[in-house]
Amino acid sequence: MIDLQTYGYNNQIAAAVAGLGLTGCVPGRVVADYGSYLRVAVPEGYDCEISGSLMHRSEKYQLPKVGDWVVIQPSDLNKAVVQVVLPRTSEINRKTAGNSNDRQVLATNIDIAFVVQALDLDFNLMRLERYSYQLRQSHIEPVFIFNKADKSVDLDAKLHQIEALGVPYIITSAIKHEGIDKIKALIHDSKTAVLLGSSGVGKSTLTNALLGAYHQKTAAIRESDSTGRHTTSHRELFLLPGGGMIIDTPGIRELQLWGEAEYLDQSFQDIETLALGCAFNNCSHVKEAHCAVLAAVASGNLASTRLDSYHKFKNELQTQAFAAASLSAKHKKQRARRMRKVIEMDERLDDYSDLS
Ligand SMILES: Nc1nc2c(ncn2[C@@H]2O[C@H](COP(=O)(O)OP(=O)(O)OP(=O)(O)O)[C@@H](O)[C@H]2O)c(=O)[nH]1
Ligand SMILES: [Mg+2]
Ligand SMILES: [Zn+2]
């Protein structure tokens, strides 16, 4: 039988569980999320529902996600109810797709995040900036995987561009099993890694290569526009034969940012360093005079696309913060209205008791 320690169970988690003082409950790790139910390893696999009280007292982002340590109450053979989600060491967020201003948690308790891009038509380094920001916000250093090296026509030119980013990366060909050992070397001990990226870049093929077995369904991309078919539909965590874990995830159409504008500095250190030379401390690098960032763009020292991304990210995050603030103001108003109603009701009851 597989030990829970293989999933990363440690003294800290044990202490958190003991501190809850729950009887008849056991700790486990969420290994798959099927939407209507979860699979939790304890270490046997249990199909679990979320308890009504946990559902009631939690915001959506606090509900159990793949990677979470949870405490479950077994109720039936291989059936159980998740009672508590233990504190997370990390979580990967994004803004939910569409117009709502909600946080979606993609995976939790992650040590390494691999952002996968294919070296064929999918290749677009600009897209990686979003992942960099989002992962750094979670204090997770991204490692980029450039897959489908066998399909790249101008590999040397692409390598040159990748090298210029100055970030950790691995070149792979999942179908030829090349570069897989380099990924494995990073997921040692009981580390948890996740594969993120667009549909069709080869996340499930890489998962299978890491597992040395065909676990995850894969499907050919559409040749017309080189886009994937969203083959993987749920997140799932797998134990690797040599130790450590990998989470395969469904393809992301567009990673919409979730977080705070302050964290932008870490992802745009080149711009922040240049900004030290701007005439105004609060220079927005849009049209101010004596702006060192705009000057760098004009002289070719900074790519205009890089500054465009910076402005776009900042706008996105500020719009989100504004929406969150107005929502919380709305909630405050609603709460005040509810309180007023309770007070009025109390006063009416007082009047009534005075009369009777
Ligand atoms: N030539 C080549 N094809 C690859 C490689 N890796 C994956 N593929 C193919 O790319 C297609 C998509 O691979 P998947 O592993 O299903 O992609 P995915 O990222 O899991 O896609 P979603 O589950 O939709 O997010 C499949 O036809 C794979 O065989 C590779 O290294 N080289
Ligand atoms: Mg897949
Ligand atoms: Zn400036």
Side-chain angles (χ1 to χ4, degrees):
M1 194 207 279
I2 293 163
D3 198 309
L4 208 50
Q5 264 141 17
T6 322
Y7 287 95
Y9 191 72
N10 57 30
N11 290 341
Q12 222 175 337
I13 301 165
V17 176
L20 293 169
L22 294 171
T23 48
C25 290
V26 286
R29 193 158 191 201
V30 180
V31 293
D33 183 350
Y34 296 100
S36 57
Y37 70 99
L38 304 160
R39 187 95 181 140
V40 177
V42 288
E44 309 90 341
Y46 273 86
D47 289 341
C48 291
E49 289 177 346
I50 300 169
S51 84
S53 85
L54 177 59
M55 200 72 119
H56 189 70
R57 63 175 192 266
S58 308
E59 297 285 344
K60 234 175 173 176
Y61 70 89
Q62 295 168 320
L63 291 172
K65 304 289 176 316
V66 170
D68 266 328
W69 282 99
V70 294
V71 175
I72 68 166
Q73 189 161 35
S75 58
D76 198 352
L77 197 65
N78 288 344
K79 277 236 150 63
V81 176
V82 179
Q83 299 289 2
V84 177
V85 178
L86 296 176
R88 295 165 176 163
T89 56
S90 67
E91 59 182 23
I92 300 178
N93 298 301
R94 71 157 169 175
K95 191 179 94 62
T96 43
N99 293 330
S100 74
N101 198 46
D102 280 336
R103 178 204 314 199
Q104 186 189 12
V105 179
L106 299 177
T108 65
N109 300 319
I110 298 300
D111 299 299
I112 310 155
F114 293 110
V115 180
V116 189
Q117 194 164 93
L119 283 159
D120 57 3
L121 292 179
D122 176 70
F123 187 70
N124 174 353
L125 292 181
M126 292 267 293
R127 216 184 298 135
L128 297 180
E129 286 174 335
R130 294 188 161 264
Y131 286 94
S132 282
Y133 166 81
Q134 201 54 65
L135 292 166
R136 291 213 172 108
Q137 160 103 38
S138 308
H139 307 289
I140 299 169
E141 197 60 36
V143 175
F144 296 106
I145 293 180
F146 295 97
N147 188 34
K148 306 197 188 182
D150 57 287
K151 271 184 99 179
S152 180
V153 277
D154 47 359
L155 189 57
D156 282 347
K158 283 174 182 155
L159 282 178
H160 196 71
Q161 290 178 49
I162 294 166
E163 198 63 48
L165 290 178
V167 294
Y169 70 90
I170 299 172
I171 305 287
T172 59
S173 168
I175 50 164
K176 290 195 165 181
H177 230 276
E178 286 169 7
I180 305 302
D181 285 346
K182 288 192 183 141
I183 305 177
K184 273 190 194 160
L186 295 178
I187 322 174
H188 44 80
D189 304 322
S190 48
K191 295 235 178 298
T192 308
V194 66
L195 291 163
L196 302 168
S198 309
S199 175
V201 295
K203 298 178 296 299
S204 299
T205 313
L206 285 163
T207 302
N208 290 339
L210 287 164
L211 293 172
Y214 187 83
H215 272 280
Q216 289 294 79
K217 198 174 150 218
T218 64
I221 55 167
R222 272 202 308 260
E223 285 305 329
S224 55
D225 56 2
S226 239
T227 55
R229 294 169 190 275
H230 291 275
T231 311
T232 306
S233 55
H234 69 273
R235 292 166 239 289
E236 187 158 354
L237 178 151
F238 298 95
L239 286 174
L240 296 179
M245 287 147 277
I246 191 82
I247 300 176
D248 187 15
T249 63
I252 294 171
R253 276 200 185 82
E254 193 207 22
L255 187 80
Q256 294 195 47
L257 305 180
W258 178 270
E260 289 153 28
E262 288 84 85
Y263 275 90
L264 274 184
D265 305 2
Q266 287 175 22
S267 294
F268 289 89
Q269 267 166 4
D270 47 353
I271 292 181
E272 287 309 311
T273 308
L274 284 167
L276 296 173
C278 295
F280 302 104
N281 271 346
N282 60 349
C283 182
S284 61
H285 327 307
V286 176
K287 55 181 180 191
E288 289 91 341
H290 309 295
C291 168
V293 178
L294 290 174
V297 172
S299 64
N301 287 334
L302 179 75
S304 61
T305 48
R306 178 87 177 140
L307 183 57
D308 289 347
S309 296
Y310 175 83
H311 286 313
K312 195 157 185 276
F313 285 20
K314 203 164 194 170
N315 262 337
E316 239 173 275
L317 294 165
Q318 282 171 346
T319 309
Q320 192 185 98
F322 183 73
S326 55
L327 193 70
S328 102
K330 194 171 142 199
H331 282 164
K332 268 189 204 149
K333 261 189 201 156
Q334 282 171 344
R335 206 178 313 136
R337 210 175 300 140
R338 274 202 304 272
M339 284 305 292
R340 258 202 316 276
K341 274 197 180 140
V342 172
I343 293 166
E344 278 168 19
M345 180 71 84
D346 279 352
E347 284 171 355
R348 239 177 285 146
L349 286 174
D350 282 348
D351 289 349
Y352 179 76
S353 57
D354 284 347
L355 286 174
S356 54

